[in-house]
């Protein structure tokens, strides 16, 4: 596609509900990144994929967060048993090669946990 | 370890006047530095980057930044602000963890442009 696409754009979840956020990277991009951006903050790194391999998941805040990219293209970030502190914008970025390449960002998914 | 500090959380300028967004960094080695812009309801866009070549870096939309090692600064400037420049700006320094180059983000500076 023309750019990184994320869906849904907005998600409201009740506390305790599971959510799944989708990222469609730019076609052919090898690397994919997930970030969490709290209100008034800069993005915080969550996890990084190179093709289908999850090379770094050190930023995932708890074991309730899980990300996958089974075929090396589309990625899903899943949050189980959502808590209010999970409310944030979740950003996805992709790059052509590795983590040294320029990253292109999606518009993000704004998650609100009520 | 790498870190970045944006010295102003909010900057307000008049249209046609210069813009200065300040950023200081900390890095144990020669860093790569970036400025990103985030317009409301739009994705983050790379404005410019410094990767140890020329210290004065020119970016898109008339922005530029100067890497000053002695001051550990990477301030973003533009000679004349335009209304469309109103956005959130992030200064970013790169760090490494294993084989992954991580981007370490500042808290952002909100730029308002008044007519």
């Amino acid at each position: 596609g023309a750019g990184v696409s994320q869906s849904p754009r907005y998600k409201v979840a009740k506390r305790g509900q599971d959510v799944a956020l989708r990222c469609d990277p730019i076609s052919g991009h090898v690397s994919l990144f997930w970030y969490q951006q709290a209100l008034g903050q800069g993005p915080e790194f969550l996890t990084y994929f190179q093709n289908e391999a999850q090379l770094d998941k050190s930023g995932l805040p708890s074991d309730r967060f899980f990300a996958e990219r089974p075929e090396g293209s589309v990625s899903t970030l899943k949050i189980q048993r959502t808590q209010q502190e999970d409310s944030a914008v979740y950003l996805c970025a992709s790059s052509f090669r590795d983590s040294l390449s320029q990253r292109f960002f999606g518009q993000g998914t704004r998650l609100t946990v009520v | 370890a790498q870190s970045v500090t944006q010295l102003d959380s909010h900057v307000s300028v008049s249209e046609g006047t210069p813009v200065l967004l300040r950023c200081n960094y900390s890095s144990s080695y020669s860093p790569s530095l970036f400025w990103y812009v985030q317009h409301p309801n739009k994705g983050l866009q790379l404005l410019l980057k410094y990767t140890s070549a020329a210290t004065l870096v020119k970016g898109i939309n008339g922005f530029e930044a100067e890497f000053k090692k002695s001051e550990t600064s990477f301030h973003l400037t533009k000679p004349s602000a335009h209304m469309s420049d109103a956005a959130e700006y992030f200064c970013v320094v790169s760090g490494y963890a294993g084989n992954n180059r991580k981007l370490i983000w500042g808290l952002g500076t909100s730029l308002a442009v008044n007519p």
Side-chain angles (χ1 to χ4, degrees), chain B residues 12 15-16 26 29-30 32 34 37-39 43 51-52 54 57 60 72-73 75 78 82 88 91 97 99 102 115:
Chain B
S12 182
E15 189 175 20
S26 172
Y29 52 83
S30 184
S32 293
F34 310 79
V37 61
Q38 187 175 36
H39 286 94
T51 54
S52 75
V57 183
I60 61 172
T72 60
S73 70
H75 301 335
K78 183 174 180 177
H82 191 272
E88 190 82 15
C91 182
N99 59 357
K102 286 187 175 177

Side-chain angles (χ1 to χ4, degrees), chain A residues 10 35 37 41-43 45 48 56 58 91 99-100 102-103 105-107, chain B residues 36 38 41-44 46 90 96-97 99-103 105-107:
Chain A
Y10 304 92
Y35 295 85
Q37 185 177 18
Q41 305 286 319
F45 170 80
Y48 160 56
D56 188 341
S58 62
L91 296 167
S99 64
L100 299 178
Q102 181 180 339
R103 298 171 202 198
F105 284 81
Q107 293 179 300
Chain B
Y36 280 83
Q38 187 175 36
N41 298 317
K42 291 189 177 180
L44 285 155
L46 180 66
F90 292 95
Y96 282 90
N99 59 357
N100 175 23
R101 184 185 75 174
K102 286 187 175 177
L103 301 184
W105 299 71
L107 295 181

Side-chain angles (χ1 to χ4, degrees), chain B residues 11-83:
Chain B
V11 170
S12 182
V13 301
S14 297
E15 189 175 20
T17 64
V19 175
L20 170 64
L21 305 183
R22 298 183 294 166
C23 173
N24 285 105
Y25 70 91
S26 172
S27 178
S28 54
Y29 52 83
S30 184
S32 293
L33 293 156
F34 310 79
W35 276 97
Y36 280 83
V37 61
Q38 187 175 36
H39 286 94
N41 298 317
K42 291 189 177 180
L44 285 155
Q45 182 182 20
L46 180 66
L47 272 180
L48 49 81
K49 63 180 179 181
Y50 166 77
T51 54
S52 75
T55 56
L56 182 62
V57 183
K58 294 187 184 297
I60 61 172
N61 301 335
F63 284 93
E64 60 183 38
E66 186 172 6
F67 173 72
K68 291 187 177 180
K69 186 176 181 179
S70 61
E71 299 177 8
T72 60
S73 70
F74 190 58
H75 301 335
L76 181 70
T77 60
K78 183 174 180 177
S80 176
H82 191 272
M83 295 295 287

